[in-house]
């Protein structure tokens, strides 16, 4: 059985005088992987361990399938308290006003992610699956991908993923996204988080995506929605426990005759505690009998080293004191505030007896407290859940009373409604939610993610360069080896090279220059680089190589080994350009980021720098207007990659390719392209043509390669196996 290496910031242990195993949602969830793989767990022990005690920790971890990553004080300060919790956490929760950033924090974050990577690589066997958890380790997937591409790598984000406008505030946003895309599969709690992630990847990295995957670098990162659950079995068992029953009876005696509104939260500014207290204050002002209601606040201490949390504690304690002073009576103190953890039995007892559970975070990835409360409800005494519509749980627990956590009067009103609901309505609402919480628990979540991670990796293992009946490289090499003279007609941007935001930034890489020089020097071969761009760019980039050049989709060209440029001729009618230019300029002015490029045979409206959605919408409007204008004019409209081009019908790449075919010297010609302007080549019916389309979409080409990188790999394979591609010097 292969291993499942679970990687989280914290190991499930607590180090005190002794070392003990700790519990939690992720620990419970990983029990759902039993039988799927042999589990190993990599993480930080949770505190800086004295070197003299590391042997003891190592021994304990070895016995329990754990692999510790040791951090020193500087690591904890920069990586954990700093970048993770003072920079990333607030941004992911839409609270960029709390975000702080220091460059040394980023350096620590990179360094510690590398420590985790090294630990995983020490224990990872061939074909193991690695499941990485949460925002502390967003660089880890790519680090592992670069070192061990054979691993199945999954990542799950337990927090929200915010909109692009918020995430862009993070200074190292591109590196974080690229780190995540090293995974084979990324999971989110809700579709909203997934949608924001896709939008952010599009706007920051320029990567378009499908609903379930993001294609990049010759591979796919799959994305999906996997709402986490709780350990429902553990809660159901607790309801039958004698200690639970004793505690519940004891609490009922203490609060006899009172309605209980329960609040259980980590003390965190994302939980909306101060606003919740203000809403309670508002509710108590209009409450007819304050003696009959008590608000129990269990606030678990959190990140005491971070200044914002210290300030928050003081704020909450101050508000509690003010409200109790204003609304308290001799018979009753309205708010019972506990700034401490409670035992599992105590928590379940409180859940089960609470008339109302008030869960109003300002943002929350899921909020398992809401699900825990639902799991502890019994039909004959069911309570009411008041839930923030901005929590992930709101998409599942739809029978709760929903609130906008920023709307204080609404929260106060929902409290009045919840406390007055009859038992029949309470039971009806709770029954619907309880079925979902019990059925779709933490084990279901873990099993779903791991099962899909395995299947996605297996699907992704299929070779990129395939055509029904066989491998492209083998078939093409076989055909070329029988030819006496070869031709190559290769589109440039989007085919040999990935697109850039600005065409002027599309200079060839060293790998492309090496390929071009090799093509130019192949004996018995004529090779052309084809582009829709101006000839000046091609001449600057490739002029010294001697390769053939075709610019402006075939309007002008330079033969291999020549310095002279030829054009289609004076017969091409270009009188339409002035009229079309007026329309192009209008759309340039009304679309921020758009620009117009004028060539001798065409006009191009670029919208790569525009907002992707707005630019796409404006492009459809421009297309509609241009198509109305083309009637009886010698003009074709092409919608390419983030461009719209109006070009003479007498100028196209297919016509340029035909000039090469007419020479009759070539037994085989390889042509490759990526967009609609290249289809004029692919539609030519000639047995000598070997056509290759780059990327997705419908095409007339015979073969397909997924990306420019895949095409370069294919060409390199052809060079190695085809004797005609020997250099002229050889």
């Amino acid at each position: 059985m292969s291993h499942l290496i679970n990687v989280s910031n914290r190991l499930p242990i607590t180090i005190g005088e002794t070392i003990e195993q700790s519990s939690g949602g992720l620990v419970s969830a990983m029990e759902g992987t039993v039988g799927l793989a042999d589990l190993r767990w990599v993480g930080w022990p949770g505190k800086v361990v004295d070197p003299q005690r590391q042997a003891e920790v190592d021994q304990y971890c070895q016995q329990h399938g754990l692999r510790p990553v040791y951090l020193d004080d500087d690591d904890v300060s920069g990586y954990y308290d700093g970048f993770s919790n003072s920079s990333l956490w607030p941004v992911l929760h839409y609270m960029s006003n709390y975000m702080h950033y220091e460059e040394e924090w980023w350096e620590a974050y990179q360094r510690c992610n590398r420590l985790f990577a090294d630990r995983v690589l020490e224990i990872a066997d061939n074909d193991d699956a690695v499941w990485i958890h949460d925002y502390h380790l967003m660089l880890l997937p790519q680090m592992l991908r670069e070192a061990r591409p054979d691993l199945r790598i999954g990542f799950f984000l337990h927090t929200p993923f915010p909109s692009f406008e918020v995430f862009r505030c993070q200074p190292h946003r591109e590196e974080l996204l690229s780190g995540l895309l090293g995974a084979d599969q990324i999971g989110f709690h809700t579709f909203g988080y997934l949608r924001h992630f896709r939008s952010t990847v599009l706007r920051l990295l320029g990567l378009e995506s499908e609903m379930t995957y993001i294609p990049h670098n010759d591979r796919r990162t799959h994305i999906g929605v996997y709402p986490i659950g709780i350990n429902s079995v553990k809660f159901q068992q607790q309801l039958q426990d004698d200690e639970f029953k004793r505690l519940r009876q004891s609490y009922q005696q203490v609060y006899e005759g009172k309605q209980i509104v329960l609040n259980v939260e980590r003390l965190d500014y994302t939980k909306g505690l101060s606003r919740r207290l203000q809403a309670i204050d508002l509710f108590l002002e209009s409450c007819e009998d304050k003696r009959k209601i008590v608000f129990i606040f269990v606030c678990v201490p959190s990140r005491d080293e971070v200044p914002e949390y210290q300030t928050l504690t003081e704020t909450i304690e101050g508000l509690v004191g003010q409200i109790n002073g204003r609304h308290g009576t001799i018979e009753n103190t309205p708010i019972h505030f506990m700034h401490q953890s409670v035992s599992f039995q105590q928590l379940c007892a409180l859940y089960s007896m609470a008339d109302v559970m008030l869960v109003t975070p300002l943002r929350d990835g899921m909020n398992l407290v809401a699900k825990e409360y639902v799991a502890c409800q019994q039909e004959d005494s069911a309570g009411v859940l008041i839930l923030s519509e901005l929590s992930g749980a709101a998409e599942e627990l739809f029978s709760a009373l929903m609130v906008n956590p920023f709307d204080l009067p609404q929260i106060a009103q929902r409290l009045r409604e919840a406390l007055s609901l009859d038992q029949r309505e309470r039971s009806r609402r709770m029954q619907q939610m309880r079925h979902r919480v019990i059925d779709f628990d933490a084990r279901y979540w873990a099993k779903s993610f791991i099962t899909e991670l395995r299947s996605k990796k297996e699907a992704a293992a299929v070779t990129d360069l395939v055509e029904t009946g066989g491998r492209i490289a083998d078939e093409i090499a076989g055909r070329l080896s029988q030819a006496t003279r070869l031709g190559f007609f290769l589109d440039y941007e989007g085919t040999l090279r990935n697109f850039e935001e600005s065409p002027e930034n599309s200079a060839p890489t060293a790998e492309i220059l090496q390929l071009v020089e090799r093509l130019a020097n192949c004996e018995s071969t004529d090779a052309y680089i084809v582009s829709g761009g101006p000839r000046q760019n091609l001449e600057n980039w490739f002029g010294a190589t001697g390769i053939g050049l075709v610019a402006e989709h075939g309007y002008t060209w330079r033969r291999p080994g020549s310095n002279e440029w030829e054009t289609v001729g004076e017969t091409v009618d270009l009188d339409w350009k002035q009229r079309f230019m007026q329309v192009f300029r209008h759309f340039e002015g009304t679309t921020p980021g758009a620009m117009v490029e004028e060539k001798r045979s065409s006009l191009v409206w670029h919208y790569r720098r525009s907002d992707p959605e707005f630019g796409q919408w404006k492009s459809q409007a421009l297309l509609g207007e241009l198509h109305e204008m083309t009637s009886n004019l010698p003009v074709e409209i092409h919608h390419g990659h983030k461009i719209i081009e109006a070009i003479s019908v007498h100028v196209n790449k297919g016509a340029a390719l035909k000039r090469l075919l007419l020479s009759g010297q070539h037994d085989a010609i390889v042509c490759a392209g990526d967009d609609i302007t290249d289809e004029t080549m692919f539609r030519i019916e000639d047995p000598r043509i070997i056509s290759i389309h780059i990327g997705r979409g419908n095409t007339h080409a015979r073969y397909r390669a997924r990306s420019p990188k895949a095409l370069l790999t294919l060409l390199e394979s052809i060079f190695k196996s085809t004797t005609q591609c020997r250099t002229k010097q050889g």
Side-chain angles (χ1 to χ4, degrees):
M1 181 185 296
S2 61
H3 300 108
L4 171 61
I5 303 174
N6 197 58
V7 191
S8 62
N9 173 61
R10 289 286 300 273
L11 285 176
I13 62 174
T14 301
I15 300 177
E17 292 185 6
T18 60
I19 304 173
E20 298 178 355
Q21 192 139 7
S22 59
S23 59
L26 189 55
V27 178
S28 302
M30 298 317 296
E31 294 174 5
T33 65
V34 174
L36 296 176
D38 180 17
L39 181 65
R40 298 175 174 180
W41 198 316
V42 172
W44 172 46
K47 63 182 296 184
V48 176
V49 179
D50 188 291
Q52 296 177 348
R53 201 176 180 194
Q54 285 187 12
E56 178 189 355
V57 175
D58 285 338
Q59 182 180 6
Y60 179 91
C61 289
Q62 185 68 33
Q63 292 171 352
H64 293 83
L66 309 177
R67 302 294 189 277
V69 176
Y70 293 113
L71 305 180
D72 61 27
D73 288 323
D74 290 339
D75 293 333
V76 175
S77 176
Y79 150 75
Y80 182 72
D81 294 331
F83 194 82
S84 294
N85 290 319
S86 295
S87 190
L88 265 180
W89 175 268
V91 168
L92 292 170
H93 288 83
Y94 286 80
M95 296 185 180
S96 52
N97 55 307
Y98 283 99
M99 187 192 81
H100 299 286
Y101 174 77
E102 296 181 18
E103 188 62 24
E104 56 264 33
W105 291 354
W106 170 243
E107 294 169 0
Y109 188 80
Q110 292 175 289
R111 181 174 66 253
C112 290
N113 271 251
R114 177 58 63 189
L115 290 176
F116 277 82
D118 292 343
R119 198 70 172 107
V120 171
L121 294 172
E122 287 175 8
I123 62 174
D125 295 331
N126 291 338
D127 207 34
D128 277 355
V130 181
W131 192 3
I132 304 163
H133 296 269
D134 231 358
Y135 60 99
H136 313 85
L137 301 169
M138 293 174 78
L139 300 180
L140 183 55
Q142 184 59 28
M143 290 179 176
L144 295 178
R145 172 70 51 206
E146 291 172 354
R148 290 284 304 277
D150 62 297
L151 296 174
R152 295 175 168 89
I153 303 171
F155 183 93
F156 190 85
L157 185 66
H158 292 262
T159 69
F161 193 92
S163 68
F164 157 71
E165 291 295 344
V166 176
F167 191 77
R168 71 191 299 196
C169 297
Q170 169 52 238
H172 291 281
R173 56 209 183 178
E174 289 91 352
E175 294 99 318
L176 293 167
L177 292 175
S178 297
L180 290 176
L181 291 177
D184 293 296
Q185 180 172 305
I186 303 175
F188 303 90
H189 286 305
T190 74
F191 175 71
Y193 307 156
L194 181 150
R195 175 168 50 85
H196 287 320
F197 182 74
R198 289 182 61 209
S199 173
T200 302
V201 167
L202 172 63
R203 286 165 168 78
L204 289 179
L205 301 184
L207 296 175
E208 296 183 351
S209 61
E210 300 295 337
M211 189 69 73
T212 58
Y213 66 88
I214 301 172
H216 63 102
N217 297 331
D218 295 335
R219 48 182 296 273
R220 293 178 177 181
T221 293
H222 293 267
I223 49 180
V225 176
Y226 309 88
I228 193 172
I230 63 170
N231 186 346
S232 59
V233 174
K234 183 178 180 181
F235 280 92
Q236 288 178 291
Q237 290 173 344
Q238 186 61 40
L239 297 184
Q240 308 303 319
D241 183 77
D242 291 338
E243 176 64 12
F244 158 79
K245 293 176 181 178
R246 185 192 67 78
L247 283 170
R248 188 176 192 273
Q249 186 176 14
S250 173
Y251 293 156
Q252 285 175 330
Q253 291 173 355
V254 171
Y255 296 107
E256 186 177 3
K258 300 182 187 299
Q259 289 183 295
I260 298 173
V261 180
L262 181 62
N263 300 260
V264 178
E265 298 288 8
R266 229 174 11 89
L267 197 59
D268 191 288
Y269 51 75
T270 64
K271 303 300 183 181
L273 289 169
S274 60
R275 289 182 179 274
R276 192 180 312 174
L277 285 166
Q278 292 168 24
I280 290 171
D281 188 19
L282 189 62
F283 165 81
L284 289 172
E285 286 180 1
S286 61
C287 184
E288 294 181 0
D289 192 348
K290 302 173 185 177
R291 297 172 302 173
K292 294 184 178 180
I293 298 173
V294 63
F295 293 85
I296 299 177
F297 271 79
V298 178
C299 289
V300 180
S302 173
R303 299 167 187 160
D304 294 334
E305 298 81 6
V306 179
E308 284 78 10
Y309 290 82
Q310 298 168 4
T311 302
L312 178 64
T313 301
E314 296 171 3
T315 300
I316 298 303
E317 290 175 346
L319 281 170
V320 170
Q322 292 172 23
I323 294 171
N324 281 339
R326 188 157 45 245
H327 300 289
T329 66
I330 294 175
E331 296 91 346
N332 186 48
T333 300
I335 299 179
H336 292 194
F337 181 75
M338 293 182 289
H339 187 203
Q340 61 188 24
S341 299
V342 297
S343 70
F344 183 65
Q345 289 91 345
Q346 289 174 313
L347 183 62
C348 291
L350 288 170
Y351 281 150
S352 69
M353 63 178 286
D355 296 281
V356 177
M357 185 77 202
L358 192 55
V359 183
T360 60
L362 304 180
R363 291 283 176 180
D364 221 336
M366 174 54 69
N367 197 292
L368 295 181
V369 165
K371 292 189 174 184
E372 290 172 358
Y373 174 71
V374 169
C376 289
Q377 295 306 292
Q378 299 174 23
E379 190 170 339
D380 60 345
S381 59
V384 182
L385 174 64
I386 299 177
L387 183 60
S388 166
E389 62 191 28
L390 299 182
S391 68
E395 295 197 6
E396 295 182 86
L397 306 181
F398 43 82
S399 294
L401 294 181
M402 297 296 175
V403 294
N404 176 349
F406 294 91
D407 189 341
L408 305 187
Q410 185 188 54
I411 297 174
Q413 177 59 31
R414 288 288 186 269
L415 274 169
R416 285 188 284 269
E417 293 175 16
L419 291 167
S420 62
L421 274 181
D422 62 56
Q423 190 58 58
R424 183 177 180 181
E425 178 64 10
R426 290 182 176 208
S427 297
R428 183 190 68 81
R429 287 174 174 269
M430 193 57 64
Q431 185 180 30
Q432 293 175 343
M433 295 187 288
R434 198 167 188 276
H435 282 312
R436 180 170 184 87
V437 169
I438 299 301
D439 292 343
F440 301 104
D441 61 1
R443 296 184 182 188
Y444 177 88
W445 167 77
K447 186 175 181 179
S448 298
F449 188 94
I450 292 300
T451 300
E452 291 203 20
L453 173 62
R454 290 187 177 281
S455 65
K456 295 297 190 303
K457 183 67 178 182
E458 288 162 5
V462 179
T463 179
D464 289 338
L465 303 174
V466 295
E467 187 259 351
T468 302
R471 287 284 304 273
I472 290 180
D474 295 340
E475 183 170 336
I476 293 178
R479 290 187 59 187
L480 296 185
S481 64
Q482 301 173 17
T484 57
R485 190 167 189 85
L486 306 179
F488 287 87
F489 218 67
L490 307 175
D491 177 54
Y492 180 60
E493 195 172 41
T495 301
L496 290 177
R497 196 195 192 291
N498 289 316
F499 285 101
E500 295 289 342
E501 276 195 4
S502 301
E504 60 269 20
N505 294 333
S506 297
T509 63
E511 183 181 12
I512 293 173
L513 282 174
Q514 184 179 14
L515 166 73
V516 168
E517 289 172 356
R518 189 167 183 177
L519 278 171
N521 289 306
C522 279
E523 62 181 21
S524 303
T525 299
D526 296 308
Y528 288 83
I529 302 297
V530 188
S531 173
R535 75 184 195 186
Q536 191 60 48
N537 285 350
L538 290 179
E539 198 161 65
N540 290 340
W541 296 334
F542 305 112
T545 66
I547 200 168
L549 301 174
V550 178
E552 297 189 34
H553 300 298
Y555 179 77
T556 181
W557 69 93
R558 197 186 78 172
R559 300 177 190 274
S562 172
N563 292 321
E564 300 297 324
W565 285 85
E566 306 172 50
T567 61
V568 172
E570 300 300 325
T571 58
V572 176
D573 179 7
L574 300 176
D575 292 340
W576 51 269
K577 284 179 62 180
Q578 185 174 359
R579 179 183 169 193
F580 276 63
M581 177 63 84
Q582 294 175 355
V583 177
F584 274 54
R585 290 293 184 198
H586 170 70
F587 276 81
E588 179 185 30
T590 57
T591 312
M595 59 168 285
V596 175
E597 178 187 10
E598 182 175 7
K599 304 175 186 176
R600 283 178 292 180
S601 62
S602 67
L603 297 172
V604 187
W605 185 73
H606 297 267
Y607 61 99
R608 292 180 197 172
R609 291 179 174 175
S610 302
D611 177 88
E613 291 177 301
F614 185 66
Q616 182 65 25
W617 178 69
K618 291 290 284 188
S619 72
Q620 296 303 314
L622 176 56
L623 283 171
E625 194 155 336
L626 293 178
H627 282 306
E628 289 184 7
M629 297 172 62
T630 56
S631 179
N632 299 320
L633 290 176
V635 184
E636 285 185 346
I637 306 300
H638 299 152
H639 191 185
H641 184 78
K642 305 293 185 183
I643 66 162
I644 291 176
E645 184 166 21
I647 188 170
S648 169
V649 295
H650 303 294
V651 177
N652 59 69
K653 295 175 184 176
L657 178 58
K658 285 180 179 177
R659 287 195 295 271
L660 185 63
L661 291 167
L662 286 173
S663 69
Q665 301 177 14
H666 306 91
D667 304 294
I669 299 176
V670 176
C671 69
D674 68 293
D675 66 16
I676 193 171
T677 64
D678 302 299
E679 292 299 314
T680 56
M681 298 189 296
F682 302 154
R683 283 194 291 265
I684 298 174
E685 295 184 4
D686 190 305
R688 292 174 291 174
I689 294 177
I690 300 169
S691 54
I692 306 171
H693 175 79
I694 313 303
R696 296 170 290 168
N698 296 326
T699 180
H700 289 83
R702 177 172 174 77
Y703 302 99
R704 184 189 304 275
R706 287 188 178 179
S707 67
K709 184 178 179 180
L711 178 66
L712 294 178
T713 302
L714 169 65
L715 293 174
E716 182 62 32
S717 176
I718 291 172
F719 288 148
K720 290 180 180 179
S721 58
T722 307
T723 57
Q724 286 85 341
C725 289
R726 294 175 300 183
T727 60
K728 295 172 183 176
Q729 292 83 354

